Amino acid sequence: MGVTYRSECPIARTLDVVGDKWTLLVLRDALVFGRKTFAEFEHGRERIPTNLLADRLKRLVDCGLLKKVPYQEAPKRYHYVPTPEGEAVLPVIRAMKDFGEKYLEGKAPVA
Amino acid sequence: MGVTYRSECPIARTLDVVGDKWTLLVLRDALVFGRKTFAEFEHGRERIPTNLLADRLKRLVDCGLLKKVPYQEAPKRYHYVPTPEGEAVLPVIRAMKDFGEKYLEGKAPVA
DNA sequence: CTGGATCCTGATGGATACTG
DNA sequence: CAGTATCCATCAGGATCCAG
């Protein structure tokens, strides 16, 4: 909230929203693997720490890329499901997948 | 160098290489604005701190997305220019541009 | 002056333990 | 199951410094 984007550039803005090591992975799990619950996101292959997962889910909900939908009472439980805006990031995820497959397979990481 | 990727997923691998707030912006400057020198990268609209710029340029060179080409002796000066692998990230940058233009224009940031 | 390197401080990341 | 809390390590960001 209340923070400003670094610039008017749409690329910079996109990075301000999803430009970190986990956010797009959470979105991938939601969009391509259909994961919905906290536990489903948590137990993906990359083992995101629970505090970061909670934070990323909250952010994604706050900025309108995911929405919380209740699926159970007592105790209240929620599914995290992509909004149309959330689905709109699929092309960037696909582009990353293509890039990763073409250039990063079997290649040692540098950083 | 010796670090391992978080998983075999090509998306996760791509994020391990370019998944932070600055790397893709540097790549954007190189690929779409044709910037080459340290100063050209530094004086973009987003004002990246010099230490981060130096670090990101080095990483990008180390992982083969940019290469240093000398263009002057005494003192040695270099251009940072995209390799073919570097050019291969253009689709992800374009996808981010599309997303940013469609969904983030005039919208307040959340984080 | 360009191309960084260094230093310092506050923010973020990440592992694990704990709670409703 | 779905998160919080805690603690420590690392990184970001800004200022400044240094070498060619």
Side-chain angles (χ1 to χ4, degrees):
Chain A
M1 234 73 85
V3 186
T4 51
Y5 291 118
R6 281 175 292 181
S7 79
E8 295 302 308
C9 172
I11 300 162
R13 291 186 171 215
T14 299
L15 287 166
D16 285 337
V17 175
V18 299
D20 72 276
K21 290 173 92 78
W22 292 109
T23 301
L24 280 172
L25 243 30
V26 172
L27 244 16
R28 173 206 62 181
D29 285 348
L31 289 165
V32 349
F33 297 139
R35 298 208 234 266
K36 291 176 167 50
T37 66
F38 194 94
E40 285 169 356
F41 286 107
E42 185 186 353
H43 297 127
R45 250 182 319 184
E46 292 90 4
R47 318 289 357 253
I48 181 172
T50 61
N51 56 342
L52 296 187
L53 176 56
D55 177 79
R56 293 311 187 276
L57 287 172
K58 186 174 312 185
R59 272 173 195 253
L60 286 168
V61 169
D62 285 350
C63 71
L65 300 186
L66 294 181
K67 61 175 181 283
K68 276 168 91 155
V69 344
Y71 71 94
Q72 171 188 303
E73 298 291 327
K76 269 254 183 208
R77 294 277 187 254
Y78 298 92
H79 284 326
Y80 294 90
V81 329
T83 61
E85 288 88 339
E87 280 165 23
V89 343
L90 207 44
V92 352
I93 292 177
R94 280 206 214 95
M96 286 194 172
K97 178 163 175 285
D98 288 349
F99 176 81
E101 285 173 347
K102 272 192 213 152
Y103 294 101
L104 267 23
E105 290 306 329
K107 215 177 169 182
V110 172
Chain B
M1 237 68 86
V3 186
T4 49
Y5 291 117
R6 279 176 294 181
S7 80
E8 296 302 308
C9 172
I11 300 163
R13 292 186 171 213
T14 300
L15 287 166
D16 284 338
V17 174
V18 301
D20 72 276
K21 290 172 93 78
W22 291 111
T23 301
L24 279 172
L25 244 30
V26 172
L27 243 18
R28 173 206 62 182
D29 285 347
L31 289 166
V32 348
F33 297 139
R35 298 207 233 267
K36 291 176 166 53
T37 66
F38 193 94
E40 285 169 355
F41 286 107
E42 186 186 353
H43 297 127
R45 253 182 318 183
E46 291 90 4
R47 318 292 355 253
I48 181 172
T50 63
N51 56 342
L52 297 186
L53 176 55
D55 178 79
R56 294 309 188 276
L57 287 173
K58 186 174 312 185
R59 271 174 195 253
L60 285 168
V61 169
D62 285 351
C63 71
L65 300 185
L66 294 181
K67 61 176 181 282
K68 275 169 92 156
V69 343
Y71 69 96
Q72 170 188 304
E73 298 292 328
K76 269 256 183 205
R77 295 280 187 250
Y78 298 91
H79 284 326
Y80 295 89
V81 328
T83 61
E85 288 90 339
E87 280 164 22
V89 343
L90 207 42
V92 352
I93 292 176
R94 280 206 214 95
M96 287 195 170
K97 177 161 177 286
D98 288 350
F99 176 80
E101 285 172 347
K102 273 192 213 152
Y103 294 100
L104 268 22
E105 291 305 328
K107 214 175 168 184
V110 172

